[in-house]
Amino acid sequence: MEQGLGSESVPPSGSLDKSRVLDVRPIRCLVPMFPSAPGMGPVSNPQATPFVCVPPTGPFPPGVAPLYPFSMANGSHANHQNSTGTPNQPGAFGFGSAIPSPVPLNSFRTPQSVSNGDAGRTRRSNKNRGSQAMAAEDDGYSDSQNQSDQYMSGFSMHTEGGSGGGKRRGRPPKKTRRDRLFDSSPEVDVDGEADKLVALFKMSELDTNRKNSGDRELVQSLLLVFDLLRRKLTQIEETKDPAPGAARRPDLRAGTTLMTNKGVRTNIVKRIGHVPGVEVGDIFFFRMELCLVGLHAPSMAGIDYMSVKVTMDEEPLAVSIVSSGGYDDEGDDGDVLIYSGQGGVQRRDGQMFDQKLERGNLAMEKSVHRGNEVRVIRGLKDNGSTGKIYIYDGLYKIQESWTEKNKSGCSVFKYKLVRLPGQPAAFTLWKSIQQWKDGVTSRAGVILPDLTSGAESQPVSLVNDVDDEKGPAYFTYIPSLKYSKPFPAPKSNSGCHCLGGCQPGDLNCPCIQKNGGYIPYSSLGVLMNYKSVIHECSLSCSCPPNCRNRMSQAGLKVRLEVFKTKSKGWGLRSWDPIRAGGFICEYAGEVIDASRLGELGNESEDGYVFDATRTYEPLEPASNGSNESAAVPYPLVVSAKNSGNVARFMNHSCSPNVFWQSVLRESNNESYLHIAFFAIGHIPPLQELTFDYGMVASNQAGYRRKKCLCESPKCRGYFY
């Protein structure tokens, strides 16, 4: 009997007419030799990856390396691939497994003005991949961006259409190098600390809409929660001796705890264009912050992308890139960036590999043809630490792409991005400020190069580029408070005996004991947490002037300028970026008796009085309904009308970016209370510094309501 085509029965020997066989199915399905795309395995993709035969020249499915590095002349590339997946689906880390037709060979174009040259090293900034290479000092961040870096292999914070790896079915996820390093770190109750902050700031009440698409208030709150948790973990961890090989990375622990364990993040759904709540010029000191607010999802890879439906298939498009010096990216002119592709890793055995047209590189090439906008984040060296500062430089478009050979003879991809016009200055502003500092160009509108006349460790410029006013009314510049009579100390204080400076974890130090067992500042001068009062070392202490516990006594840490505003008189801003919790200055002036407030009259009207007895909204919400963070141990009132420092020029805002903290220095039987100002969040250069002047009792004499011009969404309409 003749066998039906496609039958699974076995015909008798010699009975089959082979000329009629058109389709024969195997007895059992073979397991595909090629894995699914990362994150799109059998669990998330019900259709198994098709069994395909791939020629040596490609195209290659996701997760499969070519049999040998691609090799071709500049101007063309044959190793093109594409893949598909489910778009806008949280938890999808890849683009599926379908392999559409290759991109035409002429899709790369070599600019006539660009010759083959050094394409730079890999995007990884550290050649050693161990904990020493990754762990940055205190608040710093090591900037390895290589997508295959095993230290961060579990940290791709994609929610859909990303480039990270997925879980393997049927077995627990393999521990990464990061996990093994953190397993041996000191015991810290990360979840407990996170739960406190999440509850205080009501982060657990975020609805799906705000998680999917944030706003300015939410973005700032999330960043504040992250930074408070990171600082607290830093403060706890540095008091303990780390286990051998342990990496102290409180930024990574804080970020993953909030995003993975607590579900605290926003802008989860990827998008092309600006991210709600993030403004051009915003700065970040940690890659985890970019993940948290949805500006750039992968915590290590330099290219972020998403899947877009095109006819029956889907293709990746780049949505954001980070350029931070790992490669020899060219972008000194500010509005044009020559960006190098990702990959081409140098292995430990010294072998170099060509970059492949896959993942981020493929997405960049697709964006050349689609012409979509790409967010650009530039990373610059942070002069105050071993880490970097990341600047959101706005939207760019990729104009062209090509390949080059580097010094090792390997091929790398190059992409030319051009900034869209009409956006606020960001990276170009940083370049201008650096030229002012270097003396290459002059700051426009400078009246005085240093109004402190050398009283501060750094000059403070007086600038007016608004009108013809030549400066504020005359006053005497003094860098600190003038006490006629100190407050009495509750008991005699002999100070500490830390000859080399107060050290974290030294519970024998009386100054550390007063601060609850911790030094209140990091080694970078960042305030670690908020308290009703900070106890700093004083004249009776044996520690040196550069002791960490004398942070507010060492003068200005950033380059400031007093400038003329358009509507609020004179104001204060910084040439330098200021990180969250960073010290800015103290409020200098003459300490006066609080009972004289009713006699001040015009003094209070001029706004040169700081009254610590006013009611101030605490920066950190109180869990018990109290207002401990705003309480002060003494009724301090300071007049800066006749004598003062730069703080007298800080204007009021109902949504300030600066807060004040009472600092107590006790010596023998005397107490000296000071007011120190710190940044609430990261403050970009030339952004006005403001704080909340506080509220007074309605029946308190000597104060009049003034119209508030802060223009913030939470403006009360007036201040005192």
Side-chain angles (χ1 to χ4, degrees):
M1 185 175 75
E2 184 176 348
Q3 298 294 317
L5 297 180
S7 173
E8 294 183 358
S9 61
V10 181
S13 176
S15 63
L16 178 64
D17 183 357
K18 296 182 180 180
S19 64
R20 298 185 59 189
V21 175
L22 301 178
D23 179 24
V24 177
R25 288 183 292 171
I27 296 177
R28 60 176 62 89
C29 293
L30 299 177
V31 177
M33 61 175 290
F34 299 117
S36 297
M40 295 297 293
V43 174
S44 58
N45 185 4
Q47 296 182 350
T49 306
F51 181 84
V52 291
C53 294
V54 180
T57 56
F60 299 93
V64 178
L67 300 180
Y68 51 85
F70 64 79
S71 175
M72 64 175 147
N74 226 11
S76 65
H77 196 296
N79 183 22
H80 294 276
Q81 70 167 24
N82 194 1
S83 50
T84 62
T86 303
N88 298 332
Q89 179 67 33
F93 286 74
F95 292 113
S97 51
I99 308 173
S101 302
V103 179
L105 295 181
N106 61 356
S107 61
F108 283 86
R109 301 160 307 285
T110 304
Q112 298 299 321
S113 59
V114 179
S115 59
N116 292 346
D118 178 22
R121 52 198 163 103
T122 65
R123 194 163 297 279
R124 190 175 52 166
S125 61
N126 295 297
K127 293 184 179 180
N128 298 322
R129 299 167 73 172
S131 60
Q132 291 182 352
M134 290 299 302
E137 256 183 47
D138 198 24
D139 297 74
Y141 189 93
S142 182
D143 187 45
S144 173
Q145 294 185 55
N146 190 289
Q147 197 166 8
S148 63
D149 195 314
Q150 294 181 9
Y151 181 86
M152 290 294 294
S153 60
F155 261 84
S156 183
M157 292 300 167
H158 287 217
T159 55
E160 82 287 37
S163 58
K167 295 182 179 179
R168 293 180 293 178
R169 186 178 185 181
R171 69 182 73 177
K174 183 179 179 182
K175 279 193 175 184
T176 64
R177 179 175 178 83
R178 173 194 61 79
D179 296 326
R180 294 192 296 272
L181 288 172
F182 284 165
D183 283 348
S184 58
S185 63
E187 281 298 323
V188 178
D189 185 9
V190 182
D191 279 337
E193 295 295 336
D195 286 338
K196 294 176 186 176
L197 290 170
V198 169
L200 285 176
F201 286 88
K202 300 180 179 179
M203 290 291 113
S204 59
E205 300 176 7
L206 294 178
D207 57 30
T208 303
N209 290 336
R210 296 197 79 191
K211 285 186 177 182
N212 290 343
S213 184
D215 51 57
R216 187 64 175 173
E217 181 181 358
L218 177 58
V219 165
Q220 291 177 331
S221 296
L222 287 176
L223 293 175
L224 179 58
V225 169
F226 164 81
D227 211 65
L228 289 174
L229 179 58
R230 180 197 61 79
R231 283 186 254 166
K232 185 61 177 178
L233 298 182
T234 300
Q235 190 178 46
I236 295 174
E237 287 186 346
E238 70 176 1
T239 63
K240 304 177 181 180
D241 294 327
R248 281 177 170 169
R249 291 302 302 270
D251 55 318
L252 303 184
R253 302 192 76 179
T256 50
T257 298
L258 291 174
M259 289 187 284
T260 305
N261 300 348
K262 310 302 176 185
V264 175
R265 60 188 308 179
T266 189
N267 294 317
I268 294 178
V269 177
K270 291 192 179 183
R271 71 197 71 222
I272 292 173
H274 292 301
V275 170
V278 180
E279 298 178 355
V280 176
D282 281 352
I283 61 174
F284 308 85
F285 284 82
F286 302 94
R287 288 287 295 264
M288 276 296 180
E289 294 175 318
L290 306 179
C291 304
L292 188 71
V293 301
L295 185 63
H296 186 80
S299 60
M300 296 299 295
I303 304 173
D304 189 12
Y305 53 93
M306 65 180 292
S307 155
V308 176
K309 188 78 172 179
V310 179
T311 62
M312 296 298 294
D313 296 320
E314 294 175 359
E315 64 181 27
L317 291 181
V319 295
S320 63
I321 62 171
V322 176
S323 174
S324 56
Y327 280 96
D328 290 337
D329 296 338
E330 305 167 28
D332 286 342
D333 65 354
D335 291 327
V336 177
L337 172 65
I338 306 299
Y339 186 79
S340 300
Q342 62 184 183
V345 183
Q346 181 175 2
R347 299 195 325 189
R348 293 179 181 178
D349 59 9
Q351 294 187 49
M352 288 287 296
F353 293 92
D354 293 326
Q355 292 182 351
K356 303 172 187 176
L357 190 62
E358 61 183 13
R359 299 183 178 180
N361 295 336
L362 178 61
M364 293 287 283
E365 173 61 17
K366 293 293 185 180
S367 291
V368 174
H369 303 291
R370 294 290 172 186
N372 63 282
E373 301 164 338
V374 177
R375 298 187 296 271
V376 170
I377 300 102
R378 294 181 182 256
L380 301 177
K381 186 182 185 307
D382 179 12
N383 294 327
S385 75
T386 58
K388 292 183 180 294
I389 304 174
Y390 299 95
I391 312 159
Y392 176 41
D393 200 31
L395 300 179
Y396 284 64
K397 282 193 176 182
I398 311 174
Q399 281 196 346
E400 51 189 344
S401 58
W402 64 96
T403 59
E404 290 182 2
K405 296 284 186 179
N406 63 11
K407 290 181 180 179
S408 301
C410 296
S411 296
V412 297
F413 297 108
K414 291 285 188 175
Y415 306 95
K416 180 181 179 181
L417 294 96
V418 178
R419 193 170 192 257
L420 299 184
Q423 301 180 88
F427 177 66
T428 53
L429 178 62
W430 285 60
K431 289 172 59 67
S432 298
I433 293 173
Q434 189 58 51
Q435 291 176 343
W436 302 343
K437 293 180 179 179
D438 297 339
V440 177
T441 59
S442 299
R443 172 78 169 102
V446 173
I447 300 172
L448 284 174
D450 183 16
L451 63 80
T452 77
S453 300
E456 297 282 8
S457 58
Q458 299 202 48
V460 177
S461 302
L462 180 65
V463 177
N464 184 356
D465 54 6
V466 175
D467 53 34
D468 297 329
E469 188 174 352
K470 298 303 181 183
Y474 176 80
F475 74 102
T476 301
Y477 193 98
I478 57 175
S480 189
L481 282 182
K482 290 174 62 176
Y483 266 92
S484 59
K485 181 182 178 182
F487 296 103
K491 60 181 180 179
S492 179
N493 187 343
S494 59
C496 69
H497 302 283
C498 306
L499 298 180
C502 300
Q503 299 298 322
D506 182 7
L507 297 182
N508 293 322
C509 172
C511 298
I512 291 181
Q513 292 174 5
K514 292 178 182 178
N515 287 301
Y518 300 104
I519 295 182
Y521 306 108
S522 76
S523 60
L524 299 179
V526 173
L527 185 66
M528 304 306 278
N529 51 15
Y530 310 128
K531 306 183 67 174
S532 59
V533 62
I534 289 175
H535 296 267
E536 282 194 349
C537 295
S538 62
L539 293 175
S540 60
C541 294
S542 302
C543 57
N546 63 350
C547 174
R548 269 172 65 171
N549 201 36
R550 295 182 182 271
M551 192 57 61
S552 69
Q553 305 172 36
L556 303 181
K557 298 295 189 300
V558 292
R559 179 71 183 271
L560 300 172
E561 75 170 24
V562 174
F563 73 105
K564 183 65 181 298
T565 69
K566 293 182 179 180
S567 59
K568 298 181 290 185
W570 297 92
L572 185 68
R573 58 191 177 192
S574 171
W575 288 11
D576 297 318
I578 307 173
R579 64 175 61 214
F583 173 72
I584 300 172
C585 64
E586 74 164 291
Y587 198 98
E590 301 177 64
V591 178
I592 61 176
D593 194 317
S595 62
R596 290 185 51 206
L597 280 175
E599 307 171 9
L600 294 177
N602 291 334
E603 213 167 352
S604 63
E605 189 174 326
D606 290 341
Y608 294 121
V609 170
F610 182 91
D611 181 7
T613 65
R614 292 185 181 186
T615 301
Y616 295 87
E617 183 177 350
L619 181 59
E620 183 176 312
S623 58
N624 56 2
S626 65
N627 198 15
E628 191 214 6
S629 61
V632 292
Y634 303 103
L636 180 68
V637 178
V638 182
S639 172
K641 182 176 183 180
N642 299 319
S643 300
N645 68 342
V646 291
R648 74 196 294 273
F649 296 105
M650 214 180 306
N651 285 315
H652 164 83
S653 175
C654 301
S655 298
N657 54 12
V658 173
F659 72 99
W660 64 270
Q661 170 74 58
S662 57
V663 176
L664 190 62
R665 305 169 196 164
E666 295 178 325
S667 180
N668 297 321
N669 296 317
E670 298 176 335
S671 295
Y672 296 86
L673 186 65
H674 293 255
I675 300 300
F677 290 99
F678 299 87
I680 295 176
H682 304 323
I683 304 177
L686 294 191
Q687 186 176 105
E688 185 178 3
L689 305 176
T690 59
F691 75 101
D692 190 337
Y693 284 4
M695 302 295 290
V696 299
S698 58
N699 60 351
Q700 191 168 353
Y703 290 102
R704 297 179 184 175
R705 281 191 176 188
K706 302 172 186 176
K707 183 180 179 181
C708 182
L709 301 174
C710 71
E711 298 180 349
S712 73
K714 293 184 176 181
C715 181
R716 296 189 293 262
Y718 65 91
F719 70 97
Y720 291 98

